[in-house]
Amino acid sequence: MFRLKNEEKNPNPRYKARIVVKGCNQKKDIDFEEIVSLVVKMTSIRAIFGLAAKQDLEVEQLDVKTTFLHGDLKEEIYMEQPAGFVEPGKEYLVCRLKKSLSSLKQAPREWYKKFDLFMAQHNFRKKSTNHCAFVKNYKNGESNILLLYVDC
């Protein structure tokens, strides 16, 4: 996909490009096994905001734009060569994806696996009641709580 990005402060327009895979063409049990919804439960969000307000705790928010590009694919997924990048005489070749792209149905699952492993390596425990809530307790009685919400 190509698009022209006009910015108020910059009189010169910029061209943006991104690769999009036709995830809607994927078939369950052939191209992917399962999908995952990465949304923390609303009750967890309410509880944490209530706790933060009552105890005057700090709440921070982070937005990551390229989240799903970090997931490793275990399935063999191929896509046609992007328009404009086809080498003459090699039009028949396809691209094998090693990393996930955001439009793949398994992209959230693969990224979550990597994220969950990272959190475990840094001593965050996943709550049994909510797979998108992570807690890390420190010896001094303090703790960090991370709520994960991915807007697909």
Side-chain angles (χ1 to χ4, degrees), residues 78-95:
Y78 296 91
M79 70 176 222
E80 295 174 1
Q81 296 180 59
F85 291 92
V86 180
E87 197 173 318
K90 296 185 179 180
E91 296 84 6
Y92 58 92
L93 294 179
V94 293
C95 301

Side-chain angles (χ1 to χ4, degrees), residues 6-40:
N6 292 312
E7 297 172 338
E8 292 179 25
K9 298 176 185 174
N10 188 355
N12 300 324
R14 292 185 322 156
Y15 291 94
K16 290 191 82 171
R18 72 178 179 167
I19 294 177
V20 178
V21 177
K22 296 177 185 174
C24 58
N25 292 345
Q26 291 183 286
K27 293 177 178 49
K28 185 168 176 38
D29 296 324
I30 296 173
D31 299 315
F32 66 97
E33 294 171 9
E34 63 179 331
I35 57 175
V36 174
S37 175
L38 300 176
V39 180
V40 68

Side-chain angles (χ1 to χ4, degrees), residues 14 16 24 51 55 65 73 75 149:
R14 292 185 322 156
K16 290 191 82 171
C24 58
L51 182 68
Q55 296 184 5
K65 299 288 184 197
L73 290 175
E75 297 94 355
Y149 181 94

Side-chain angles (χ1 to χ4, degrees), residues 15-152:
Y15 291 94
K16 290 191 82 171
R18 72 178 179 167
I19 294 177
V20 178
V21 177
K22 296 177 185 174
C24 58
N25 292 345
Q26 291 183 286
K27 293 177 178 49
K28 185 168 176 38
D29 296 324
I30 296 173
D31 299 315
F32 66 97
E33 294 171 9
E34 63 179 331
I35 57 175
V36 174
S37 175
L38 300 176
V39 180
V40 68
K41 294 179 182 175
M42 190 54 72
T43 53
S44 296
I45 294 172
R46 286 189 192 111
I48 296 303
F49 278 138
L51 182 68
K54 185 174 181 176
Q55 296 184 5
D56 193 30
L57 301 175
E58 237 179 90
V59 175
E60 295 188 27
Q61 182 266 337
L62 175 67
D63 189 15
V64 180
K65 299 288 184 197
T66 58
T67 302
F68 293 153
L69 299 179
H70 299 285
D72 299 315
L73 290 175
K74 67 178 182 182
E75 297 94 355
E76 283 192 25
I77 304 286
Y78 296 91
M79 70 176 222
E80 295 174 1
Q81 296 180 59
F85 291 92
V86 180
E87 197 173 318
K90 296 185 179 180
E91 296 84 6
Y92 58 92
L93 294 179
V94 293
C95 301
R96 178 174 181 214
L97 299 177
K98 292 182 179 180
K99 293 284 189 177
S100 172
L101 293 176
S102 59
S103 50
L104 289 173
K105 293 195 185 287
Q106 65 267 48
R109 180 197 71 210
E110 296 305 326
W111 178 80
Y112 179 77
K113 285 180 185 176
K114 197 169 208 176
F115 182 81
D116 188 40
L117 180 64
F118 176 85
M119 296 303 284
Q121 289 171 342
H122 288 83
N123 300 319
F124 277 82
R125 289 180 295 110
K126 183 172 30 175
K127 301 306 288 178
S128 61
T129 56
N130 193 334
H131 67 275
C132 289
F134 297 85
V135 178
K136 180 176 182 176
N137 295 312
Y138 296 93
K139 291 179 182 175
N140 62 2
E142 292 184 2
S143 60
N144 282 341
I145 302 170
L146 184 136
L147 302 178
L148 179 65
Y149 181 94
V150 178
D151 185 15
C152 299

